[in-house]
Amino acid sequence: MRLIYLSIGWLAVGIAILGAFLPILPTVPFLLIALWAFGRSSERLHQKLLNDPVFGPDIKRWQERGAIRRPAKILALSAMLGSVLLAALLGVRPPILVVQALVLASVAVFIATRPES
């Protein structure tokens, strides 16, 4: 079981790294998955994520208060709006565009209603 959790953790870290460079892919949610998986497989890796100077504070903020920094909210909401606009410009069929917009609007409401740190 430990190997499965380690694999999940490393996969989530890999996706999070991609998310640091791709605006439509979130970073911190995948780090939270990695934190959960490492918490069941490797205390050393779990602590390493919590103490990371770049992502550690955001992870701790989320764990303690469910809080998201305002700049992160703005970036996430802008990326979601941009992806819907890009899909519209690329001529995505209207039913698909509506589904995308509804899903992203739901996520946007969730993000916007989280407390700020």
Side-chain angles (χ1 to χ4, degrees):
M1 222 34 211
R2 182 175 185 266
L3 185 59
I4 291 171
Y5 284 123
L6 276 172
S7 299
I8 292 169
W10 282 115
L11 177 64
V13 166
I15 295 170
I17 290 169
L18 287 174
F21 299 102
L22 299 173
I24 60 168
L25 192 62
T27 300
V28 174
F30 286 104
L31 290 176
L32 293 172
I33 292 168
L35 188 72
W36 167 81
F38 289 150
R40 284 153 181 73
S41 60
S42 170
E43 185 59 31
R44 182 182 64 80
L45 292 172
H46 184 258
Q47 288 304 315
K48 188 170 181 145
L49 269 182
L50 283 174
N51 296 323
D52 183 82
V54 175
F55 298 111
D58 286 333
I59 292 170
K60 288 176 186 172
R61 243 181 244 105
W62 178 259
Q63 282 189 316
E64 293 166 1
R65 300 183 308 280
I68 302 172
R69 293 179 301 117
R70 180 171 288 187
K73 282 184 177 187
I74 292 169
L75 180 62
L77 297 173
S78 299
M80 286 187 274
L81 178 60
S83 70
V84 172
L85 293 175
L86 180 62
L89 289 172
L90 291 173
V92 171
R93 293 185 310 144
I96 295 171
L97 193 59
V98 168
V99 170
Q100 178 190 17
L102 288 174
V103 169
L104 291 179
S106 300
V107 174
V109 168
F110 176 79
I111 290 172
T113 58
R114 297 305 95 200
E116 293 181 4
S117 49

